[in-house]
Amino acid sequence: ESLSIISGCSGIGKSWVSLNMGLAISGGTPLFGFFEVDKPRKVLLAQFELTNGQVKERVGLLQPHYGSSWSKIGTNFDYAVLDENNPSFTDRWDALDDLLSGNKYKGGVVIVDNLYTSVDANVDTSNNHDLIPVVSKWSEMMMKYKVSIIIITHHLKGRKRTPIDHDDILGGA
């Protein structure tokens, strides 16, 4: 029931990291061959940036690297992809709440890729006032469904790449 945020510049591989995290956690294998996973857990990757085809292609490329844990991954790993019925830049948290309502992921992890496409276009994710209702939904979902949530977010686009300072990261203080 914890919250983690992964942030980075566009195009550096955040979606690859989130997919690898989901596969490692669901298979109970060390993330990147190094970070221990205590046991296999249910994982839902809410993918609001890539298409279904892109996710399937990436999973296919990664599958050989997960060897004998692939059967556990097949049992524990799910993903939901943005489609024509759930357009980008609309509030996706109620739809995600519906996916979690069966308690299938209790004790597991929900990975959201990414923050800015999961909220209404009018929400300024760098403004605490706009972000408070979204963070409240996260807290409610973590408690109600007994899940941890990992949010992928971007640094502000068009800004300097290094060094990164607090004002470069999308998301309230």
Side-chain angles (χ1 to χ4, degrees):
E1 297 170 44
S2 62
L3 175 68
S4 298
I5 306 279
I6 297 175
S7 182
C9 297
S10 294
I12 64 163
K14 295 178 303 297
S15 293
W16 282 102
V17 168
S18 67
L19 183 55
N20 271 284
M21 287 180 77
L23 295 174
I25 294 167
S26 63
T29 60
L31 177 61
F32 305 124
F34 181 79
F35 298 100
E36 290 298 320
V37 174
D38 66 339
K39 65 180 182 180
R41 296 179 184 274
K42 295 286 188 181
V43 173
L44 173 62
L45 172 62
Q47 181 50 260
F48 300 139
E49 192 164 64
L50 301 177
T51 65
N52 188 51
Q54 288 171 311
V55 174
K56 283 184 175 183
E57 179 182 358
R58 290 179 180 201
V59 167
L61 290 169
L62 293 173
Q63 183 176 355
H65 301 283
Y66 287 91
S68 62
S69 65
W70 197 253
S71 62
K72 291 179 204 162
I73 292 169
T75 301
N76 292 323
F77 181 78
D78 293 319
Y79 66 91
V81 175
L82 177 71
D83 63 27
E84 64 277 357
N85 297 321
N86 297 301
S88 191
F89 304 107
T90 60
D91 188 324
R92 307 299 307 280
W93 292 93
D94 289 338
L96 190 53
D97 191 277
D98 288 343
L99 284 173
L100 297 175
S101 66
N103 279 328
K104 177 179 178 182
Y105 301 97
K106 183 177 180 178
V109 179
V110 177
I111 303 171
V112 177
D113 187 6
N114 63 56
L115 175 60
Y116 82 98
T117 55
S118 71
V119 295
D120 188 273
N122 297 322
V123 173
D124 177 358
T125 58
S126 290
N127 180 313
N128 281 345
H129 178 73
D130 284 359
L131 200 55
I132 286 170
V134 180
V135 173
S136 294
K137 287 180 185 179
W138 300 345
S139 296
E140 179 184 317
M141 291 167 68
M142 286 187 298
M143 297 298 285
K144 184 164 60 170
Y145 300 116
K146 307 291 186 213
V147 296
S148 293
I149 297 178
I150 300 170
I151 307 288
I152 309 300
T153 189
H154 290 84
H155 294 158
L156 292 173
K157 296 184 181 204
R159 301 281 291 263
K160 63 184 184 280
R161 290 184 82 92
T162 57
I164 299 296
D165 61 36
H166 183 266
D167 294 331
D168 292 328
I169 300 173
L170 286 174

